[in-house]
Every structure is written in C-alpha cells, then in structure tokens.
C-alpha cells in the first residue's frame, strides 16, 4: 500500500501571496502562481487559517490518544484488528500523519500571508515617512 505524501513543499512551492492596492476597481492577479489579496482579505484569510490551525493542533493531540489503543482482548482476532488500527502504518497512524501534514501546510500558509502583510506594512510606513518629509504643497524630488 502506498503511503500518503505528507510533505508541504510541493503544495506551496512557488505560490506567493501578494497584497494588492485596494484603490483599483479591477482585481489584480499575483505575478506568477499565487494569491493576490486586499489587506482586508489577507487579514480574514490569516484569521481563518489561525483558527483552523488551532483546531488542528487539538485534533493532532487526539490522534495521539487514538494511537495508544490496545486490543480489547488478547485473542488473535482482537490483536489483528488492533494491528490494522495502530502498527506504525495503521489507520490511526495514517490519520495522525494526515493531520500533521495539514498543520505544516497551514503554518506555511500563515507564514506567507504574514510576510505579505509585513511587506505591505513596510511599504506603507515608507510612503508615510516620504509624505511627512515632503514640504506642504510641494513636490518631492
């Protein structure tokens, strides 16, 4: 039986998050593969991803409890059934691996959105500084 792919890199490789200027009426696409979001949309995505991550971390703990299951009796049928659930490749082990992969994916997505928001915030701070340095009524440059 093939094991599920649990590496995050292929899912988000080359996928960027870009914050677009909300003053335009046309939605812009991210350059290359990725998402182009307004600041409001990015904050909403970030909040939803953080909430989902919190729930998945709790779920991961529960899958840990499932992996501790023991056979109900020490007869061959109970032992064989338990082995299908937890044996390093059992159903509960696979569920735990899947939840772990989802946690890694959401953490990486959150990193990308936060990085995009920091970049945008940095540009806004720089622009505000430039405006403050411009003589009132004058043109910079």
């Amino acid at each position: 039986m093939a094991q599920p792919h649990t590496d995050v890199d292929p899912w988000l490789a080359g996928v960027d998050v870009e914050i677009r200027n909300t003053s335009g009426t046309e939605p812009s696409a991210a350059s290359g593969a990725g998402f182009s979001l307004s600041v409001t949309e990015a904050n909403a995505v970030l909040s939803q991803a953080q909430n989902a991550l919190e729930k998945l971390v709790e779920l991961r703990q529960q899958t840990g409890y499932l992996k501790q299951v023991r056979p109900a009796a020490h007869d061959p049928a109970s032992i064989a059934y338990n082995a299908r659930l937890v044996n390093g490749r059992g159903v509960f082990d696979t569920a735990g691996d899947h939840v772990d992969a989802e946690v890694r994916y959401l953490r990486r997505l959150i990193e990308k959105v936060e990085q995009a928001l920091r970049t945008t915030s940095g540009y806004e701070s720089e622009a505000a500084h430039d405006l403050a340095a411009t003589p009132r009524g004058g043109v910079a440059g």
Side-chain angles (χ1 to χ4, degrees), residues 26-111:
E26 291 293 318
S28 65
S31 55
F35 302 97
S36 179
L37 305 168
S38 70
V39 173
T40 303
E41 291 167 335
N43 282 319
V45 165
L46 184 60
S47 177
Q48 289 175 0
Q50 288 169 332
N51 288 336
L53 178 61
E54 193 175 300
K55 290 176 184 175
L56 281 172
V57 168
E58 291 173 13
L59 184 61
R60 182 169 54 181
Q61 184 176 6
Q62 293 172 7
T63 63
Y65 297 144
L66 287 174
K67 291 191 252 183
Q68 296 173 12
V69 71
R70 301 285 176 250
H74 290 288
D75 62 276
S78 295
I79 292 170
Y81 178 71
N82 192 76
R84 290 184 181 266
L85 299 176
V86 205
N87 67 358
R89 296 183 327 265
V91 173
F92 293 159
D93 297 302
T94 302
D97 292 344
H98 183 77
V99 171
D100 288 343
E102 289 183 57
V103 166
R104 287 191 305 274
Y105 173 82
L106 278 176
R107 283 189 174 145
R108 185 67 182 121
L109 181 63
I110 288 168
E111 279 176 22

Side-chain angles (χ1 to χ4, degrees), residues 11-25:
W11 296 344
L12 291 174
V15 176
D16 296 318
V17 177
E18 179 179 283
I19 307 300
R20 68 176 182 263
N21 183 351
T22 56
S23 63
T25 56

